[in-house]
Amino acid sequence: MRTRDEGTGVVDRASVLARLGGNERLLGELVEMFLEDAPQSMAAIREAIRQENANQLHLTAHCFCSAIGSFGKTPAFEAARHLEALGQDGDLTRAEELFALLEQTLRQMESVLVQMAAPAQTLLPAEG
Amino acid sequence: MKILVADDDRIIRRMLEVMLSEWGHEVVLAANGNHAWDILHGEAAPKLALLDWLMPGLNGPEVCQRLRGITTKVPTYVILLTVKDSRQDIVAGLRGGADDYITKPFDHDELQARINTGVRMVGLQRDLANQISELQKSLERVQQLQGLLPICAYCKKIRDGHDYWQAVETYIAAHADVSFTHGICPNCYVIQVEQELQNITTWGE
């Protein structure tokens, strides 16, 4: 398992688990929630940028930043944070560019999360 | 201890709910600032709250300011949770009335240590409030024994605030944290008891 927490889009499983007190089941649950919620969060951010609504961008990017932060200070976290700051400052000139960066880093992060949660998923109760 | 977790992100809520429960706390959840405020000033409100800075409705600092505006025996211990980590943000959060500040993503051990500090502070405040309450009750009793007491010149009964004459020991027992045991002082023994004994002896003869 790769162990870089920052700079490459790769999440460090060991440090995320340490942050959760070693609770593998919780890790699996949070990854599942994150993967489920991320498309909606991205859509909300995209819509705020399209409408040039700085306040909405601030709120939506902040909330998503908080969710991404559950898995460490990844590049996706930093990209969301920059978008949040743009919204707060009311300057959306770089919003499209940063959104593209967020999309790219998020894709990388999500693929790592899927692999990362695989051992934990086996601990979750089977549905049905 | 009952702890409120207020955050608009369900991942953070779930994470904190599980972690705090594992540490033995009862967790109450709110997804926005208005709901958090409703819980915090309602009956049996949690005395420790983890508030996200930016939430729909009232934000964390606004909930905090409202809390500081109400009078309560044990003030709520507030920890602000946020991704804002600049020195200005931390100072602003603490100046707004928060007791502590944790930046996301937070460390498991650090969070537990800070929660424990909050629990200890709430416990100390609760003990202090109880002691103040006891002291106030004692002071009220002392004040009741101060000033002029109307006393009967003959039987020495004392008149209370309701025009009712009471024996000295009854009055004092009711107004101070004392009770009486009865005995006979040497002087009264000579004047009263010896005299009585002498009367009985004389009567018997």
Side-chain angles (χ1 to χ4, degrees):
Chain A
M1 187 64 63
R2 286 170 288 187
T3 56
R4 281 292 304 275
D5 197 7
E6 293 173 43
T8 63
V10 180
V11 183
D12 178 6
R13 187 172 197 274
S15 65
V16 175
L17 254 183
R19 216 171 270 136
L20 301 176
N23 190 332
E24 298 241 8
R25 186 187 294 264
L26 179 60
L27 172 63
E29 199 182 331
L30 297 184
V31 167
E32 199 173 303
M33 286 165 100
F34 181 79
L35 295 175
E36 213 173 277
D37 292 355
Q40 280 174 299
S41 301
M42 288 297 280
I45 294 172
R46 189 186 293 114
E47 185 59 19
I49 294 172
R50 194 188 65 77
Q51 291 181 358
E52 296 182 352
N53 185 335
N55 187 45
Q56 199 57 25
L57 176 62
H58 178 214
L59 285 171
T60 51
H62 172 84
C63 187
F64 195 38
C65 186
S66 177
I68 300 172
S70 308
F71 304 99
K73 286 188 175 177
T74 61
F77 173 84
E78 296 301 341
R81 211 169 160 195
H82 280 130
L83 278 168
E84 180 195 351
L86 292 187
Q88 189 170 17
D89 296 344
D91 175 13
L92 306 190
T93 45
R94 288 190 60 220
E96 293 282 357
E97 176 196 336
L98 280 168
F99 183 75
L101 179 65
L102 176 61
E103 275 184 317
Q104 182 201 329
T105 51
L106 184 66
R107 270 196 301 274
Q108 293 170 338
M109 184 179 161
E110 284 177 334
S111 67
V112 175
L113 283 179
V114 170
Q115 293 170 30
M116 196 174 89
Q121 294 293 350
T122 58
L123 295 171
L124 289 173
E127 284 181 26
Chain B
M1 171 169 282
K2 191 193 282 187
I3 299 176
L4 171 74
V5 171
D7 199 301
D8 55 342
D9 182 58
R10 71 172 180 140
I11 295 176
I12 299 289
R13 287 200 304 275
R14 180 64 185 149
M15 185 195 295
L16 290 171
E17 183 185 20
V18 171
M19 284 160 62
L20 292 171
S21 300
E22 279 178 356
W23 299 336
H25 302 292
E26 180 189 346
V27 184
V28 182
L29 299 171
N32 60 63
N34 292 1
H35 188 203
W37 168 241
D38 286 344
I39 293 169
L40 287 173
H41 80 286
E43 276 185 33
K47 285 297 169 190
L48 203 156
L50 285 163
L51 302 179
D52 185 22
W53 184 300
L54 197 59
M55 294 181 280
L58 294 168
N59 63 33
E62 283 169 346
V63 174
C64 203
Q65 278 168 7
R66 286 193 178 198
L67 278 172
R68 298 306 174 232
I70 56 175
T71 309
T72 172
K73 277 186 183 175
V74 181
T76 310
Y77 189 90
V78 176
I79 301 175
L80 276 179
L81 267 178
T82 179
V83 290
K84 293 168 181 276
D85 58 1
S86 73
R87 192 186 300 169
Q88 295 97 310
D89 288 329
I90 295 170
V91 170
L94 295 174
R95 278 195 180 144
D99 297 288
D100 203 353
Y101 193 104
I102 298 177
T103 54
K104 300 178 197 171
F106 42 78
D107 176 77
H108 175 271
D109 295 340
E110 183 188 345
L111 177 69
Q112 189 173 24
R114 287 177 189 270
I115 292 286
N116 288 345
T117 301
V119 170
R120 201 162 52 244
M121 286 300 294
V122 171
L124 287 171
Q125 291 274 10
R126 198 165 272 152
D127 289 347
L128 189 63
N130 288 340
Q131 284 174 7
I132 288 172
S133 172
E134 282 302 313
L135 281 172
Q136 280 172 336
K137 282 179 195 165
S138 301
L139 191 61
E140 280 166 18
R141 284 197 292 266
V142 169
Q143 282 170 343
Q144 283 176 332
L145 286 173
Q146 283 181 339
L148 285 172
L149 282 179
I151 188 166
C152 171
Y154 294 98
C155 71
K156 307 300 179 196
K157 278 184 179 171
I158 291 173
R159 195 182 69 207
D160 67 10
H162 308 288
D163 265 352
Y164 183 74
W165 292 89
Q166 292 178 315
V168 174
E169 61 265 40
T170 309
Y171 183 89
I172 292 177
H175 293 80
D177 192 14
V178 293
S179 52
F180 290 87
T181 60
H182 287 88
I184 299 165
C185 73
N187 206 24
C188 288
Y189 188 85
V190 172
I191 297 167
Q192 302 287 340
V193 180
E194 282 189 352
Q195 184 62 50
E196 291 258 344
L197 287 171
Q198 201 173 351
N199 289 346
I200 292 167
T201 311
T202 311
W203 185 77
E205 288 170 355

